Amino acid sequence: MGLRQACRAAGIGVVTVSAHDGAVRGHRAVPALSARLVVSLGAPIEIHYDGRVRQLPSVVSAFLRPGAATPATILRSQQPIAYVELSAPALQRLTGVPLRDLDAGGVEAGTILPWVGQLCEELAGCSAAHREAVLRVRLLDRLNETGLGGADEDAFRTLQLIRARAGAVPVEELARHAHLSPRRLRDVMRHSLGITPKFASRVARLAFAVNRAGAGAHSWAQVAAESEYHDQSHLVHDFRELMNTTPTGWLDEEGRNLQGWRRPSP
């Protein structure tokens, strides 16, 4: 099994080590049902979340919570950043911390991952061409050291189904898959992950819509229909509540980073 395949099997998704090339600007996170580890190999990362601004050398974040929009980071020219997407089970195994205790704003990674500082030093000493591979190997090593956890399997499996189906599965069906009542499933997910199946489905649906728009679409109405929204105004509502922006505003901010996108018509 190759390194990337081994990472995917272990719950390690996107891994990048890169530096922003251009003027200082903000970058708004997209709602997701995966966790994130972000470390700076230079100056601290500036994070804006829920009315607060923090400067952190590294951050671990879990899932968005109701009532607060996704965090934004400030990208500075030539500041090298390592980004890792982690599944819920992978993050819990790495940290030993219930995901309900972590939110989208994140915590300083060194407080729950004491080896992060050493990893940053190793990455900083590597050539740029080898950093991604080194990061993948070290994370796999750490996961292998932890063994397998199974305390929250019902919540994890439900989350995986919600993500795979882009939030389009009714709570009753999710409960049947988990062999639980809807009420019991809500309690299990809230206790394990800090979010309910209904809110997780909202996040997954908006993530799908954002990806669909980024891939190119004729109109926002088309994006809304393909993402299981009632209508375009429903899509706009979730953009405002979960990302503190509008669909058009998001494209204005992030369009330069999208490959082959075509701006949807209003």
Side-chain angles (χ1 to χ4, degrees):
M1 182 183 294
L3 180 58
R4 289 176 180 270
Q5 289 81 3
C7 283
R8 283 197 293 271
I12 301 170
V14 175
V15 177
T16 61
V17 185
S18 60
H20 169 58
D21 184 17
V24 174
R25 69 178 187 86
H27 169 68
R28 192 183 309 273
V30 173
L33 294 182
S34 55
R36 302 177 178 103
L37 167 64
V38 185
V39 300
S40 173
L41 306 184
I45 307 163
E46 183 175 321
I47 301 168
H48 296 238
Y49 178 69
D50 200 18
R52 294 175 296 155
V53 179
R54 294 182 294 165
Q55 303 276 346
L56 298 175
S58 57
V59 63
V60 172
S61 59
F63 305 135
L64 188 64
R65 300 293 191 266
T70 53
T73 55
I74 301 301
L75 301 179
R76 304 189 185 282
S77 182
Q78 302 307 310
Q79 179 184 19
I81 297 289
Y83 170 93
V84 182
E85 179 187 83
L86 296 164
S87 70
L91 180 63
Q92 187 150 309
R93 286 171 56 194
L94 282 174
T95 65
V97 176
L99 270 71
R100 66 175 184 269
D101 294 338
L102 301 174
D103 65 11
V107 298
E108 205 285 302
T111 63
I112 53 177
L113 299 173
W115 41 265
V116 158
Q118 180 182 349
L119 175 61
C120 288
E121 290 179 6
E122 182 178 8
L123 292 174
C126 291
S127 67
H130 291 95
R131 285 173 175 168
E132 181 185 324
V134 169
L135 182 54
R136 288 180 181 276
V137 169
R138 296 295 175 260
L139 287 171
L140 278 175
D141 289 344
R142 292 291 176 180
L143 281 169
N144 289 334
E145 289 172 4
T146 66
L148 297 176
D152 300 297
E153 287 304 312
D154 287 330
F156 293 155
R157 281 196 295 267
T158 300
L159 196 71
Q160 184 179 25
L161 178 58
I162 291 171
R163 189 180 184 186
R165 298 275 293 275
V169 184
V171 173
E172 291 74 14
E173 184 177 342
L174 293 170
R176 285 196 297 273
H177 276 276
H179 304 291
L180 299 171
S181 69
R183 180 175 180 178
R184 178 59 182 158
L185 179 61
R186 284 192 292 270
D187 290 343
V188 165
M189 289 192 64
R190 187 182 290 111
H191 176 77
S192 298
L193 307 176
I195 57 176
T196 64
K198 184 175 181 179
F199 187 76
S201 296
R202 281 187 71 192
V203 170
R205 186 168 58 236
L206 184 57
F208 181 86
V210 169
N211 290 334
R212 180 67 187 89
H218 294 294
S219 67
W220 285 111
Q222 177 190 356
V223 172
E226 293 179 353
S227 306
E228 300 291 332
Y229 281 94
H230 299 311
D231 52 30
Q232 186 174 336
S233 64
H234 187 196
L235 171 65
V236 172
H237 176 269
D238 269 10
F239 257 92
R240 290 189 183 279
E241 283 212 348
L242 303 183
M243 295 183 68
N244 196 30
T245 188
T246 63
T248 301
W250 172 76
L251 273 182
D252 287 341
E253 293 174 346
E254 300 296 332
R256 75 194 78 185
N257 297 323
L258 303 174
Q259 300 298 319
W261 68 282
R262 179 175 62 250
R263 179 181 291 274
S265 62

